[in-house]
PDB file of all heavy atoms in Angstrom:
ATOM      1  N   MET C   1     103.878 103.064 102.666  1.00 78.00           N
ATOM      2  CA  MET C   1     102.943 102.696 101.603  1.00 78.00           C
ATOM      3  C   MET C   1     101.901 101.682 102.122  1.00 78.00           C
ATOM      4  O   MET C   1     102.280 100.718 102.761  1.00 78.00           O
ATOM      5  CB  MET C   1     103.670 102.091 100.407  1.00 78.00           C
ATOM      6  CG  MET C   1     102.870 102.048  99.154  1.00 78.00           C
ATOM      7  SD  MET C   1     102.461 103.658  98.423  1.00 78.00           S
ATOM      8  CE  MET C   1     104.106 104.239  97.976  1.00 78.00           C
ATOM      9  N   ILE C   2     100.650 101.921 101.858  1.00 89.00           N
ATOM     10  CA  ILE C   2      99.590 101.088 102.336  1.00 89.00           C
ATOM     11  C   ILE C   2      99.349  99.945 101.329  1.00 89.00           C
ATOM     12  O   ILE C   2      99.278 100.168 100.135  1.00 89.00           O
ATOM     13  CB  ILE C   2      98.325 101.862 102.509  1.00 89.00           C
ATOM     14  CG1 ILE C   2      98.527 103.095 103.435  1.00 89.00           C
ATOM     15  CG2 ILE C   2      97.202 101.015 103.102  1.00 89.00           C
ATOM     16  CD1 ILE C   2      97.381 104.092 103.416  1.00 89.00           C
ATOM     17  N   GLU C   3      99.203  98.743 101.817  1.00 92.00           N
ATOM     18  CA  GLU C   3      98.911  97.592 100.947  1.00 92.00           C
ATOM     19  C   GLU C   3      97.545  97.013 101.291  1.00 92.00           C
ATOM     20  O   GLU C   3      97.297  96.652 102.449  1.00 92.00           O
ATOM     21  CB  GLU C   3      99.978  96.521 101.097  1.00 92.00           C
ATOM     22  CG  GLU C   3      99.761  95.351 100.204  1.00 92.00           C
ATOM     23  CD  GLU C   3     100.859  94.291 100.291  1.00 92.00           C
ATOM     24  OE1 GLU C   3     101.823  94.593 100.970  1.00 92.00           O
ATOM     25  OE2 GLU C   3     100.696  93.217  99.707  1.00 92.00           O
ATOM     26  N   ALA C   4      96.649  96.981 100.322  1.00 96.00           N
ATOM     27  CA  ALA C   4      95.324  96.386 100.528  1.00 96.00           C
ATOM     28  C   ALA C   4      95.420  94.863 100.453  1.00 96.00           C
ATOM     29  O   ALA C   4      96.104  94.309  99.588  1.00 96.00           O
ATOM     30  CB  ALA C   4      94.358  96.926  99.494  1.00 96.00           C
ATOM     31  N   THR C   5      94.700  94.201 101.312  1.00 97.00           N
ATOM     32  CA  THR C   5      94.669  92.742 101.361  1.00 97.00           C
ATOM     33  C   THR C   5      93.211  92.271 101.360  1.00 97.00           C
ATOM     34  O   THR C   5      92.302  93.014 101.734  1.00 97.00           O
ATOM     35  CB  THR C   5      95.433  92.197 102.548  1.00 97.00           C
ATOM     36  OG1 THR C   5      94.842  92.697 103.745  1.00 97.00           O
ATOM     37  CG2 THR C   5      96.886  92.579 102.518  1.00 97.00           C
ATOM     38  N   ARG C   6      93.048  91.018 100.997  1.00 98.00           N
ATOM     39  CA  ARG C   6      91.687  90.402 100.981  1.00 98.00           C
ATOM     40  C   ARG C   6      91.532  89.581 102.207  1.00 98.00           C
ATOM     41  O   ARG C   6      92.334  88.751 102.569  1.00 98.00           O
ATOM     42  CB  ARG C   6      91.550  89.561  99.740  1.00 98.00           C
ATOM     43  CG  ARG C   6      90.173  88.965  99.512  1.00 98.00           C
ATOM     44  CD  ARG C   6      90.141  88.084  98.278  1.00 98.00           C
ATOM     45  NE  ARG C   6      88.801  87.634  97.943  1.00 98.00           N
ATOM     46  CZ  ARG C   6      88.510  86.460  97.443  1.00 98.00           C
ATOM     47  NH1 ARG C   6      89.498  85.583  97.247  1.00 98.00           N
ATOM     48  NH2 ARG C   6      87.259  86.119  97.156  1.00 98.00           N
ATOM     49  N   ALA C   7      90.411  89.825 102.950  1.00 98.00           N
ATOM     50  CA  ALA C   7      90.167  89.089 104.182  1.00 98.00           C
ATOM     51  C   ALA C   7      88.687  88.799 104.296  1.00 98.00           C
ATOM     52  O   ALA C   7      87.830  89.583 103.823  1.00 98.00           O
ATOM     53  CB  ALA C   7      90.666  89.873 105.388  1.00 98.00           C
ATOM     54  N   THR C   8      88.361  87.671 104.936  1.00 98.00           N
ATOM     55  CA  THR C   8      86.976  87.289 105.156  1.00 98.00           C
ATOM     56  C   THR C   8      86.698  87.128 106.664  1.00 98.00           C
ATOM     57  O   THR C   8      87.531  86.543 107.391  1.00 98.00           O
ATOM     58  CB  THR C   8      86.664  85.948 104.472  1.00 98.00           C
ATOM     59  OG1 THR C   8      86.873  86.095 103.064  1.00 98.00           O
ATOM     60  CG2 THR C   8      85.209  85.556 104.690  1.00 98.00           C
ATOM     61  N   ARG C   9      85.600  87.728 107.079  1.00 97.00           N
ATOM     62  CA  ARG C   9      85.198  87.633 108.478  1.00 97.00           C
ATOM     63  C   ARG C   9      83.748  87.304 108.559  1.00 97.00           C
ATOM     64  O   ARG C   9      82.903  88.081 108.040  1.00 97.00           O
ATOM     65  CB  ARG C   9      85.515  88.929 109.219  1.00 97.00           C
ATOM     66  CG  ARG C   9      85.143  88.909 110.683  1.00 97.00           C
ATOM     67  CD  ARG C   9      85.644  90.157 111.378  1.00 97.00           C
ATOM     68  NE  ARG C   9      85.188  90.170 112.752  1.00 97.00           N
ATOM     69  CZ  ARG C   9      85.480  91.162 113.623  1.00 97.00           C
ATOM     70  NH1 ARG C   9      86.215  92.156 113.245  1.00 97.00           N
ATOM     71  NH2 ARG C   9      85.010  91.103 114.845  1.00 97.00           N
ATOM     72  N   ASP C  10      83.407  86.197 109.216  1.00 96.00           N
ATOM     73  CA  ASP C  10      82.001  85.782 109.306  1.00 96.00           C
ATOM     74  C   ASP C  10      81.303  85.764 107.981  1.00 96.00           C
ATOM     75  O   ASP C  10      80.151  86.156 107.834  1.00 96.00           O
ATOM     76  CB  ASP C  10      81.233  86.674 110.289  1.00 96.00           C
ATOM     77  CG  ASP C  10      81.772  86.558 111.722  1.00 96.00           C
ATOM     78  OD1 ASP C  10      82.263  85.484 112.080  1.00 96.00           O
ATOM     79  OD2 ASP C  10      81.703  87.562 112.461  1.00 96.00           O
ATOM     80  N   GLY C  11      82.030  85.333 106.939  1.00 97.00           N
ATOM     81  CA  GLY C  11      81.459  85.205 105.583  1.00 97.00           C
ATOM     82  C   GLY C  11      81.555  86.437 104.725  1.00 97.00           C
ATOM     83  O   GLY C  11      81.290  86.357 103.506  1.00 97.00           O
ATOM     84  N   VAL C  12      81.858  87.570 105.345  1.00 98.00           N
ATOM     85  CA  VAL C  12      81.934  88.850 104.579  1.00 98.00           C
ATOM     86  C   VAL C  12      83.385  89.072 104.148  1.00 98.00           C
ATOM     87  O   VAL C  12      84.283  89.141 104.979  1.00 98.00           O
ATOM     88  CB  VAL C  12      81.430  90.047 105.428  1.00 98.00           C
ATOM     89  CG1 VAL C  12      81.670  91.358 104.682  1.00 98.00           C
ATOM     90  CG2 VAL C  12      79.973  89.853 105.795  1.00 98.00           C
TER      91      VAL C  12
END
Side-chain angles (χ1 to χ4, degrees):
M1 194 68 65
I2 307 169
E3 182 177 352
T5 59
R6 186 182 187 217
T8 300
R9 179 173 176 179
D10 296 329
V12 174

